[in-house]
Amino acid sequence: MSPFEKIIINTMANESSPCPCDIGDKIEYGGLGQEVQIEHIKAYVVKPSTPSDKAIIVIQDIFGWQLPNTRYMADMLAANGYTAVCPDFFVGKEAWSPAGDWSKFEEWLQDKKPTTINKEVDAVLKFLKEQCGAKRIGTVGFCWGGVATHYIALQYPEVKAGVSVYGIVREREDRYALKSPTLFIFAEVDHVIPLDQVNSLEEKLKEKCTVDYQVKVFPGQTHGFVHRKREDINPEDKPYIQEARKDMLSWLDKYC
């Protein structure tokens, strides 16, 4: 079965306390889309085989918009009927290197906050609406991008759905006031996002959130498992990787 058939069966976790995350299984993958310029930023864009008015903004992790694993996820979304765009939210600044000195990570992060992305989001939304004919737009983000996805769900009611994969906004008072349905995917054995943070998020959302949401924890999994762990060489993790990706697609299909 192709990984891009219609139904796919086949670190930094929060902006206040970033922690090292392993790049995992970096795949060798060229991508099916193309790179374009969207106002002041570059982006990877891939379109579905048939015209669609649905689009997904795919938001990178700390390793940047050119990471093959993230482009693989964008192509997966396109194969399921969405125009997928993965913008360079670092706006030309160097992505984090797996060989980087983690003691300098917070310094590197200072001008790359996942909660200061409005200018880029506005440009991408305009591009999708005016040049791609998108009428229903969602977001999917990983790690750094998971935080950004949570942030967008607080700021942009026009974005119909979000899937935040291992990422939490922690420093905003309105962080539970989601404006669009959001699925949060977490790993049980995640040293970047401890389970007490996940439990707290779920409790507060239950108390304060007025839109649909889901918080789902995958047993035995580690940070990055959805997009940075290869199912073909991690057979014990394969069912969880596939389930998380299917959950992502189902959530977007339902709300976007």
Side-chain angles (χ1 to χ4, degrees), residues 154-184:
L154 302 172
Q155 295 286 306
Y156 289 87
E158 66 193 281
V159 174
K160 301 301 182 183
V163 180
S164 172
V165 189
Y166 19 87
I168 305 176
V169 169
R170 293 186 55 83
E171 293 188 335
R172 296 178 61 91
E173 290 186 7
D174 67 347
R175 60 189 178 273
Y176 308 114
L178 300 174
K179 292 181 170 62
S180 55
T182 305
L183 168 64
F184 294 88

PDB file of all heavy atoms in Angstrom, residues 154-184:
ATOM      1  N   LEU A 154      -5.994  29.960  19.135  1.00  0.00           N
ATOM      2  CA  LEU A 154      -6.416  31.008  20.070  1.00  0.00           C
ATOM      3  C   LEU A 154      -6.666  32.335  19.370  1.00  0.00           C
ATOM      4  O   LEU A 154      -7.369  33.201  19.898  1.00  0.00           O
ATOM      5  CB  LEU A 154      -5.347  31.214  21.155  1.00  0.00           C
ATOM      6  CG  LEU A 154      -4.973  30.006  22.012  1.00  0.00           C
ATOM      7  CD1 LEU A 154      -3.778  30.335  22.887  1.00  0.00           C
ATOM      8  CD2 LEU A 154      -6.154  29.557  22.864  1.00  0.00           C
ATOM      9  N   GLN A 155      -6.077  32.504  18.189  1.00  0.00           N
ATOM     10  CA  GLN A 155      -6.035  33.807  17.535  1.00  0.00           C
ATOM     11  C   GLN A 155      -6.885  33.921  16.272  1.00  0.00           C
ATOM     12  O   GLN A 155      -7.307  35.011  15.905  1.00  0.00           O
ATOM     13  CB  GLN A 155      -4.581  34.130  17.159  1.00  0.00           C
ATOM     14  CG  GLN A 155      -3.653  34.313  18.344  1.00  0.00           C
ATOM     15  CD  GLN A 155      -3.894  35.625  19.052  1.00  0.00           C
ATOM     16  OE1 GLN A 155      -3.862  36.677  18.430  1.00  0.00           O
ATOM     17  NE2 GLN A 155      -4.146  35.573  20.342  1.00  0.00           N
ATOM     18  N   TYR A 156      -7.115  32.813  15.581  1.00  0.00           N
ATOM     19  CA  TYR A 156      -7.695  32.860  14.236  1.00  0.00           C
ATOM     20  C   TYR A 156      -8.940  31.978  14.132  1.00  0.00           C
ATOM     21  O   TYR A 156      -8.856  30.811  13.736  1.00  0.00           O
ATOM     22  CB  TYR A 156      -6.660  32.391  13.212  1.00  0.00           C
ATOM     23  CG  TYR A 156      -5.513  33.343  12.983  1.00  0.00           C
ATOM     24  CD1 TYR A 156      -4.384  33.293  13.788  1.00  0.00           C
ATOM     25  CD2 TYR A 156      -5.565  34.288  11.957  1.00  0.00           C
ATOM     26  CE1 TYR A 156      -3.324  34.167  13.582  1.00  0.00           C
ATOM     27  CE2 TYR A 156      -4.512  35.165  11.739  1.00  0.00           C
ATOM     28  CZ  TYR A 156      -3.394  35.097  12.557  1.00  0.00           C
ATOM     29  OH  TYR A 156      -2.350  35.972  12.345  1.00  0.00           O
ATOM     30  N   PRO A 157     -10.119  32.527  14.437  1.00  0.00           N
ATOM     31  CA  PRO A 157     -11.345  31.719  14.301  1.00  0.00           C
ATOM     32  C   PRO A 157     -11.625  31.311  12.863  1.00  0.00           C
ATOM     33  O   PRO A 157     -12.372  30.357  12.626  1.00  0.00           O
ATOM     34  CB  PRO A 157     -12.438  32.649  14.841  1.00  0.00           C
ATOM     35  CG  PRO A 157     -11.853  34.027  14.817  1.00  0.00           C
ATOM     36  CD  PRO A 157     -10.391  33.856  15.005  1.00  0.00           C
ATOM     37  N   GLU A 158     -11.030  32.001  11.885  1.00  0.00           N
ATOM     38  CA  GLU A 158     -11.234  31.623  10.481  1.00  0.00           C
ATOM     39  C   GLU A 158     -10.550  30.292  10.150  1.00  0.00           C
ATOM     40  O   GLU A 158     -10.874  29.655   9.142  1.00  0.00           O
ATOM     41  CB  GLU A 158     -10.697  32.714   9.555  1.00  0.00           C
ATOM     42  CG  GLU A 158      -9.192  32.893   9.600  1.00  0.00           C
ATOM     43  CD  GLU A 158      -8.734  34.167   8.913  1.00  0.00           C
ATOM     44  OE1 GLU A 158      -8.669  34.177   7.686  1.00  0.00           O
ATOM     45  OE2 GLU A 158      -8.450  35.149   9.628  1.00  0.00           O
ATOM     46  N   VAL A 159      -9.578  29.886  10.958  1.00  0.00           N
ATOM     47  CA  VAL A 159      -8.943  28.576  10.784  1.00  0.00           C
ATOM     48  C   VAL A 159      -9.873  27.539  11.408  1.00  0.00           C
ATOM     49  O   VAL A 159     -10.167  27.587  12.596  1.00  0.00           O
ATOM     50  CB  VAL A 159      -7.546  28.552  11.429  1.00  0.00           C
ATOM     51  CG1 VAL A 159      -6.961  27.149  11.370  1.00  0.00           C
ATOM     52  CG2 VAL A 159      -6.621  29.539  10.724  1.00  0.00           C
ATOM     53  N   LYS A 160     -10.341  26.610  10.590  1.00  0.00           N
ATOM     54  CA  LYS A 160     -11.447  25.749  10.987  1.00  0.00           C
ATOM     55  C   LYS A 160     -11.068  24.618  11.927  1.00  0.00           C
ATOM     56  O   LYS A 160     -11.924  24.093  12.646  1.00  0.00           O
ATOM     57  CB  LYS A 160     -12.113  25.157   9.729  1.00  0.00           C
ATOM     58  CG  LYS A 160     -12.653  26.196   8.769  1.00  0.00           C
ATOM     59  CD  LYS A 160     -13.692  27.083   9.436  1.00  0.00           C
ATOM     60  CE  LYS A 160     -14.260  28.100   8.456  1.00  0.00           C
ATOM     61  NZ  LYS A 160     -15.228  29.015   9.116  1.00  0.00           N
ATOM     62  N   ALA A 161      -9.797  24.196  11.901  1.00  0.00           N
ATOM     63  CA  ALA A 161      -9.385  23.063  12.735  1.00  0.00           C
ATOM     64  C   ALA A 161      -7.876  23.088  12.910  1.00  0.00           C
ATOM     65  O   ALA A 161      -7.141  23.597  12.056  1.00  0.00           O
ATOM     66  CB  ALA A 161      -9.822  21.748  12.107  1.00  0.00           C
ATOM     67  N   GLY A 162      -7.429  22.516  14.010  1.00  0.00           N
ATOM     68  CA  GLY A 162      -5.993  22.406  14.251  1.00  0.00           C
ATOM     69  C   GLY A 162      -5.642  21.059  14.850  1.00  0.00           C
ATOM     70  O   GLY A 162      -6.444  20.469  15.592  1.00  0.00           O
ATOM     71  N   VAL A 163      -4.450  20.579  14.511  1.00  0.00           N
ATOM     72  CA  VAL A 163      -3.909  19.373  15.142  1.00  0.00           C
ATOM     73  C   VAL A 163      -2.525  19.740  15.668  1.00  0.00           C
ATOM     74  O   VAL A 163      -1.592  19.973  14.897  1.00  0.00           O
ATOM     75  CB  VAL A 163      -3.810  18.185  14.158  1.00  0.00           C
ATOM     76  CG1 VAL A 163      -3.240  16.968  14.880  1.00  0.00           C
ATOM     77  CG2 VAL A 163      -5.168  17.862  13.555  1.00  0.00           C
ATOM     78  N   SER A 164      -2.428  19.840  16.977  1.00  0.00           N
ATOM     79  CA  SER A 164      -1.173  20.191  17.641  1.00  0.00           C
ATOM     80  C   SER A 164      -0.503  18.904  18.103  1.00  0.00           C
ATOM     81  O   SER A 164      -1.031  18.197  18.964  1.00  0.00           O
ATOM     82  CB  SER A 164      -1.444  21.112  18.837  1.00  0.00           C
ATOM     83  OG  SER A 164      -0.262  21.313  19.585  1.00  0.00           O
ATOM     84  N   VAL A 165       0.647  18.612  17.516  1.00  0.00           N
ATOM     85  CA  VAL A 165       1.347  17.362  17.812  1.00  0.00           C
ATOM     86  C   VAL A 165       2.541  17.674  18.707  1.00  0.00           C
ATOM     87  O   VAL A 165       3.492  18.312  18.289  1.00  0.00           O
ATOM     88  CB  VAL A 165       1.789  16.655  16.512  1.00  0.00           C
ATOM     89  CG1 VAL A 165       2.319  15.267  16.826  1.00  0.00           C
ATOM     90  CG2 VAL A 165       0.631  16.563  15.519  1.00  0.00           C
ATOM     91  N   TYR A 166       2.439  17.239  19.953  1.00  0.00           N
ATOM     92  CA  TYR A 166       3.418  17.505  21.012  1.00  0.00           C
ATOM     93  C   TYR A 166       3.828  18.980  21.079  1.00  0.00           C
ATOM     94  O   TYR A 166       4.968  19.340  20.838  1.00  0.00           O
ATOM     95  CB  TYR A 166       4.660  16.594  20.948  1.00  0.00           C
ATOM     96  CG  TYR A 166       4.962  15.887  19.633  1.00  0.00           C
ATOM     97  CD1 TYR A 166       5.715  16.511  18.640  1.00  0.00           C
ATOM     98  CD2 TYR A 166       4.509  14.587  19.399  1.00  0.00           C
ATOM     99  CE1 TYR A 166       6.004  15.863  17.455  1.00  0.00           C
ATOM    100  CE2 TYR A 166       4.795  13.945  18.211  1.00  0.00           C
ATOM    101  CZ  TYR A 166       5.543  14.579  17.241  1.00  0.00           C
ATOM    102  OH  TYR A 166       5.837  13.944  16.060  1.00  0.00           O
ATOM    103  N   GLY A 167       2.861  19.814  21.476  1.00  0.00           N
ATOM    104  CA  GLY A 167       3.143  21.235  21.678  1.00  0.00           C
ATOM    105  C   GLY A 167       2.056  21.898  22.500  1.00  0.00           C
ATOM    106  O   GLY A 167       0.872  21.622  22.305  1.00  0.00           O
ATOM    107  N   ILE A 168       2.443  22.771  23.445  1.00  0.00           N
ATOM    108  CA  ILE A 168       1.483  23.470  24.306  1.00  0.00           C
ATOM    109  C   ILE A 168       1.905  24.928  24.472  1.00  0.00           C
ATOM    110  O   ILE A 168       3.069  25.212  24.769  1.00  0.00           O
ATOM    111  CB  ILE A 168       1.404  22.855  25.719  1.00  0.00           C
ATOM    112  CG1 ILE A 168       1.081  21.363  25.677  1.00  0.00           C
ATOM    113  CG2 ILE A 168       0.371  23.586  26.569  1.00  0.00           C
ATOM    114  CD1 ILE A 168       1.095  20.712  27.062  1.00  0.00           C
ATOM    115  N   VAL A 169       0.975  25.853  24.308  1.00  0.00           N
ATOM    116  CA  VAL A 169       1.195  27.240  24.721  1.00  0.00           C
ATOM    117  C   VAL A 169       1.015  27.297  26.225  1.00  0.00           C
ATOM    118  O   VAL A 169       0.018  26.800  26.760  1.00  0.00           O
ATOM    119  CB  VAL A 169       0.181  28.189  24.031  1.00  0.00           C
ATOM    120  CG1 VAL A 169       0.240  29.579  24.654  1.00  0.00           C
ATOM    121  CG2 VAL A 169       0.465  28.267  22.536  1.00  0.00           C
ATOM    122  N   ARG A 170       1.958  27.922  26.931  1.00  0.00           N
ATOM    123  CA  ARG A 170       1.885  27.920  28.389  1.00  0.00           C
ATOM    124  C   ARG A 170       1.869  29.306  29.027  1.00  0.00           C
ATOM    125  O   ARG A 170       1.544  29.430  30.201  1.00  0.00           O
ATOM    126  CB  ARG A 170       3.057  27.119  28.970  1.00  0.00           C
ATOM    127  CG  ARG A 170       2.984  25.635  28.665  1.00  0.00           C
ATOM    128  CD  ARG A 170       4.078  24.865  29.367  1.00  0.00           C
ATOM    129  NE  ARG A 170       4.083  25.097  30.798  1.00  0.00           N
ATOM    130  CZ  ARG A 170       3.296  24.453  31.654  1.00  0.00           C
ATOM    131  NH1 ARG A 170       2.439  23.558  31.216  1.00  0.00           N
ATOM    132  NH2 ARG A 170       3.353  24.717  32.943  1.00  0.00           N
ATOM    133  N   GLU A 171       2.223  30.344  28.301  1.00  0.00           N
ATOM    134  CA  GLU A 171       2.430  31.634  28.949  1.00  0.00           C
ATOM    135  C   GLU A 171       1.300  32.638  28.733  1.00  0.00           C
ATOM    136  O   GLU A 171       1.371  33.745  29.222  1.00  0.00           O
ATOM    137  CB  GLU A 171       3.759  32.233  28.480  1.00  0.00           C
ATOM    138  CG  GLU A 171       4.966  31.438  28.968  1.00  0.00           C
ATOM    139  CD  GLU A 171       6.289  32.116  28.669  1.00  0.00           C
ATOM    140  OE1 GLU A 171       6.325  32.916  27.714  1.00  0.00           O
ATOM    141  OE2 GLU A 171       7.259  31.863  29.392  1.00  0.00           O
ATOM    142  N   ARG A 172       0.265  32.264  28.015  1.00  0.00           N
ATOM    143  CA  ARG A 172      -0.839  33.178  27.759  1.00  0.00           C
ATOM    144  C   ARG A 172      -2.007  32.872  28.697  1.00  0.00           C
ATOM    145  O   ARG A 172      -2.382  31.723  28.901  1.00  0.00           O
ATOM    146  CB  ARG A 172      -1.314  33.062  26.310  1.00  0.00           C
ATOM    147  CG  ARG A 172      -0.277  33.469  25.286  1.00  0.00           C
ATOM    148  CD  ARG A 172      -0.832  33.278  23.890  1.00  0.00           C
ATOM    149  NE  ARG A 172      -2.019  34.092  23.658  1.00  0.00           N
ATOM    150  CZ  ARG A 172      -1.988  35.327  23.156  1.00  0.00           C
ATOM    151  NH1 ARG A 172      -0.828  35.888  22.855  1.00  0.00           N
ATOM    152  NH2 ARG A 172      -3.097  36.007  22.959  1.00  0.00           N
ATOM    153  N   GLU A 173      -2.621  33.932  29.218  1.00  0.00           N
ATOM    154  CA  GLU A 173      -3.754  33.728  30.112  1.00  0.00           C
ATOM    155  C   GLU A 173      -4.951  33.129  29.377  1.00  0.00           C
ATOM    156  O   GLU A 173      -5.784  32.452  29.979  1.00  0.00           O
ATOM    157  CB  GLU A 173      -4.144  35.060  30.778  1.00  0.00           C
ATOM    158  CG  GLU A 173      -3.123  35.555  31.796  1.00  0.00           C
ATOM    159  CD  GLU A 173      -3.605  36.784  32.540  1.00  0.00           C
ATOM    160  OE1 GLU A 173      -4.786  37.166  32.346  1.00  0.00           O
ATOM    161  OE2 GLU A 173      -2.823  37.372  33.309  1.00  0.00           O
ATOM    162  N   ASP A 174      -5.027  33.386  28.067  1.00  0.00           N
ATOM    163  CA  ASP A 174      -6.175  32.901  27.296  1.00  0.00           C
ATOM    164  C   ASP A 174      -5.904  31.555  26.628  1.00  0.00           C
ATOM    165  O   ASP A 174      -6.588  31.170  25.689  1.00  0.00           O
ATOM    166  CB  ASP A 174      -6.554  33.926  26.221  1.00  0.00           C
ATOM    167  CG  ASP A 174      -5.479  34.074  25.139  1.00  0.00           C
ATOM    168  OD1 ASP A 174      -4.345  33.583  25.346  1.00  0.00           O
ATOM    169  OD2 ASP A 174      -5.780  34.671  24.086  1.00  0.00           O
ATOM    170  N   ARG A 175      -4.923  30.808  27.123  1.00  0.00           N
ATOM    171  CA  ARG A 175      -4.461  29.621  26.403  1.00  0.00           C
ATOM    172  C   ARG A 175      -5.480  28.482  26.332  1.00  0.00           C
ATOM    173  O   ARG A 175      -5.272  27.516  25.604  1.00  0.00           O
ATOM    174  CB  ARG A 175      -3.151  29.112  26.999  1.00  0.00           C
ATOM    175  CG  ARG A 175      -3.203  28.703  28.459  1.00  0.00           C
ATOM    176  CD  ARG A 175      -1.780  28.442  28.959  1.00  0.00           C
ATOM    177  NE  ARG A 175      -1.708  28.084  30.360  1.00  0.00           N
ATOM    178  CZ  ARG A 175      -1.633  28.954  31.366  1.00  0.00           C
ATOM    179  NH1 ARG A 175      -1.668  30.252  31.104  1.00  0.00           N
ATOM    180  NH2 ARG A 175      -1.531  28.549  32.616  1.00  0.00           N
ATOM    181  N   TYR A 176      -6.556  28.589  27.085  1.00  0.00           N
ATOM    182  CA  TYR A 176      -7.587  27.553  27.023  1.00  0.00           C
ATOM    183  C   TYR A 176      -8.807  28.007  26.219  1.00  0.00           C
ATOM    184  O   TYR A 176      -9.739  27.235  26.030  1.00  0.00           O
ATOM    185  CB  TYR A 176      -8.023  27.162  28.437  1.00  0.00           C
ATOM    186  CG  TYR A 176      -6.847  26.815  29.325  1.00  0.00           C
ATOM    187  CD1 TYR A 176      -6.516  27.612  30.420  1.00  0.00           C
ATOM    188  CD2 TYR A 176      -6.042  25.705  29.044  1.00  0.00           C
ATOM    189  CE1 TYR A 176      -5.424  27.306  31.220  1.00  0.00           C
ATOM    190  CE2 TYR A 176      -4.950  25.399  29.842  1.00  0.00           C
ATOM    191  CZ  TYR A 176      -4.648  26.205  30.923  1.00  0.00           C
ATOM    192  OH  TYR A 176      -3.566  25.907  31.706  1.00  0.00           O
ATOM    193  N   ALA A 177      -8.790  29.240  25.744  1.00  0.00           N
ATOM    194  CA  ALA A 177      -9.933  29.806  25.023  1.00  0.00           C
ATOM    195  C   ALA A 177      -9.803  29.543  23.523  1.00  0.00           C
ATOM    196  O   ALA A 177      -9.687  30.462  22.710  1.00  0.00           O
ATOM    197  CB  ALA A 177     -10.040  31.304  25.303  1.00  0.00           C
ATOM    198  N   LEU A 178      -9.826  28.278  23.158  1.00  0.00           N
ATOM    199  CA  LEU A 178      -9.683  27.905  21.755  1.00  0.00           C
ATOM    200  C   LEU A 178     -10.835  28.484  20.939  1.00  0.00           C
ATOM    201  O   LEU A 178     -11.985  28.481  21.362  1.00  0.00           O
ATOM    202  CB  LEU A 178      -9.684  26.389  21.606  1.00  0.00           C
ATOM    203  CG  LEU A 178      -8.579  25.617  22.335  1.00  0.00           C
ATOM    204  CD1 LEU A 178      -8.824  24.116  22.200  1.00  0.00           C
ATOM    205  CD2 LEU A 178      -7.208  25.987  21.805  1.00  0.00           C
ATOM    206  N   LYS A 179     -10.515  28.950  19.735  1.00  0.00           N
ATOM    207  CA  LYS A 179     -11.527  29.492  18.834  1.00  0.00           C
ATOM    208  C   LYS A 179     -11.862  28.532  17.692  1.00  0.00           C
ATOM    209  O   LYS A 179     -12.766  28.796  16.904  1.00  0.00           O
ATOM    210  CB  LYS A 179     -11.057  30.839  18.279  1.00  0.00           C
ATOM    211  CG  LYS A 179     -11.000  31.940  19.342  1.00  0.00           C
ATOM    212  CD  LYS A 179     -10.562  33.257  18.752  1.00  0.00           C
ATOM    213  CE  LYS A 179     -10.738  34.391  19.744  1.00  0.00           C
ATOM    214  NZ  LYS A 179      -9.924  34.230  20.956  1.00  0.00           N
ATOM    215  N   SER A 180     -11.119  27.437  17.598  1.00  0.00           N
ATOM    216  CA  SER A 180     -11.404  26.429  16.577  1.00  0.00           C
ATOM    217  C   SER A 180     -11.120  25.047  17.148  1.00  0.00           C
ATOM    218  O   SER A 180     -10.260  24.888  18.028  1.00  0.00           O
ATOM    219  CB  SER A 180     -10.567  26.677  15.317  1.00  0.00           C
ATOM    220  OG  SER A 180      -9.193  26.735  15.625  1.00  0.00           O
ATOM    221  N   PRO A 181     -11.838  24.031  16.678  1.00  0.00           N
ATOM    222  CA  PRO A 181     -11.645  22.677  17.193  1.00  0.00           C
ATOM    223  C   PRO A 181     -10.191  22.217  17.044  1.00  0.00           C
ATOM    224  O   PRO A 181      -9.601  22.342  15.974  1.00  0.00           O
ATOM    225  CB  PRO A 181     -12.579  21.835  16.319  1.00  0.00           C
ATOM    226  CG  PRO A 181     -13.642  22.792  15.876  1.00  0.00           C
ATOM    227  CD  PRO A 181     -12.924  24.099  15.678  1.00  0.00           C
ATOM    228  N   THR A 182      -9.652  21.682  18.125  1.00  0.00           N
ATOM    229  CA  THR A 182      -8.227  21.337  18.142  1.00  0.00           C
ATOM    230  C   THR A 182      -8.004  19.961  18.761  1.00  0.00           C
ATOM    231  O   THR A 182      -8.535  19.657  19.836  1.00  0.00           O
ATOM    232  CB  THR A 182      -7.424  22.389  18.940  1.00  0.00           C
ATOM    233  OG1 THR A 182      -7.670  23.693  18.392  1.00  0.00           O
ATOM    234  CG2 THR A 182      -5.934  22.093  18.880  1.00  0.00           C
ATOM    235  N   LEU A 183      -7.227  19.160  18.057  1.00  0.00           N
ATOM    236  CA  LEU A 183      -6.779  17.861  18.556  1.00  0.00           C
ATOM    237  C   LEU A 183      -5.344  18.003  19.043  1.00  0.00           C
ATOM    238  O   LEU A 183      -4.482  18.485  18.305  1.00  0.00           O
ATOM    239  CB  LEU A 183      -6.847  16.817  17.438  1.00  0.00           C
ATOM    240  CG  LEU A 183      -6.163  15.470  17.697  1.00  0.00           C
ATOM    241  CD1 LEU A 183      -6.811  14.719  18.850  1.00  0.00           C
ATOM    242  CD2 LEU A 183      -6.163  14.614  16.424  1.00  0.00           C
ATOM    243  N   PHE A 184      -5.102  17.597  20.279  1.00  0.00           N
ATOM    244  CA  PHE A 184      -3.759  17.598  20.848  1.00  0.00           C
ATOM    245  C   PHE A 184      -3.267  16.154  20.938  1.00  0.00           C
ATOM    246  O   PHE A 184      -3.911  15.317  21.588  1.00  0.00           O
ATOM    247  CB  PHE A 184      -3.748  18.222  22.244  1.00  0.00           C
ATOM    248  CG  PHE A 184      -4.075  19.688  22.282  1.00  0.00           C
ATOM    249  CD1 PHE A 184      -5.395  20.116  22.385  1.00  0.00           C
ATOM    250  CD2 PHE A 184      -3.077  20.646  22.217  1.00  0.00           C
ATOM    251  CE1 PHE A 184      -5.712  21.459  22.429  1.00  0.00           C
ATOM    252  CE2 PHE A 184      -3.370  21.998  22.263  1.00  0.00           C
ATOM    253  CZ  PHE A 184      -4.697  22.411  22.366  1.00  0.00           C
TER     254      PHE A 184
END
